């Protein structure tokens, strides 16, 4: 899924369309569960949980590709090296307690 994210970064698809893509998949897939397992509420519940976990994790990985790409672009534009960025992130983390990765 990370690689799928990279492909979409390369075709310059804005990241909001990855989120709306997952929402669209959910919209069409979730009703299928009740169509298929009409009388099995427990099964539908279990599948919904599993599907939600998988879809959320896929989205997380795809968006991570975008974040990595933005960071690379930021470093490219500013000329900041990876080492300097890591030092700045560590200083920020120390000062605020907020992790930056
Ligand atoms: C949840 C959302 C989406 C998923 C899971 C998804 C999945 C994929 C996958 C599996 C590939 C092939 C990646 C590869 O070559 O290794 C791909 C390629 C691509 N997707 Fe998506 N996609 C999503 C949303 C979108 C949207 C919203 C658009 C544009 C409206 C889009 C446009 C493209 C394009 C242009 C390619 C490259 C096709 C090529 O190789 O020429 N994708 N996508």
């Amino acid at each position: 899924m990370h690689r799928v994210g990279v492909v979409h970064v390369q075709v310059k698809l804005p990241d909001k369309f990855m989120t709306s893509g997952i929402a669209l998949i959910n919209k069409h897939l979730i009703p299928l569960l009740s169509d298929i397992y009409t009388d099995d509420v427990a099964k539908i519940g279990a599948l919904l949980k599993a599907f939600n976990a998988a879809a959320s994790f896929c989205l997380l990985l795809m968006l991570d590709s975008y974040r990595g790409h933005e960071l690379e672009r930021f470093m490219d534009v500013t000329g900041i090296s990876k080492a300097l960025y890591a030092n700045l992130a560590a200083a920020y983390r120390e000062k605020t307690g907020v992790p930056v990765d």
Side-chain angles (χ1 to χ4, degrees):
M1 289 319 292
H2 199 274
R3 182 173 147 65
V4 172
V6 169
V7 170
H8 293 88
V9 167
Q10 284 166 349
V11 299
K12 301 193 188 326
L13 184 74
D15 62 355
K16 62 185 168 202
F17 290 117
M18 298 318 286
T19 308
S20 49
I22 290 289
L24 196 63
I25 291 170
N26 285 343
K27 183 184 158 192
H28 291 282
L29 218 146
I30 289 170
L32 286 181
L33 296 179
S34 52
D35 289 350
I36 298 167
Y37 302 101
T38 323
D39 296 321
D40 197 344
V41 178
K43 182 103 175 177
I44 294 173
L47 285 170
L48 269 178
K49 269 191 202 170
F51 182 71
N52 182 48
S56 302
F57 192 54
C58 287
L59 183 58
L60 186 150
L61 291 175
M62 291 190 293
L63 291 181
D64 195 55
S65 304
Y66 277 80
R67 216 157 43 105
H69 174 74
E70 274 161 17
L71 183 56
E72 267 172 33
R73 219 174 38 176
F74 171 77
M75 292 200 281
D76 190 37
V77 167
T78 58
I80 285 180
S81 67
K82 277 191 179 170
L84 178 54
Y85 178 79
N87 284 340
L88 288 171
Y92 182 78
R93 188 172 50 242
E94 200 169 302
K95 186 174 173 194
T96 63
V98 179
V100 183
D101 52 15

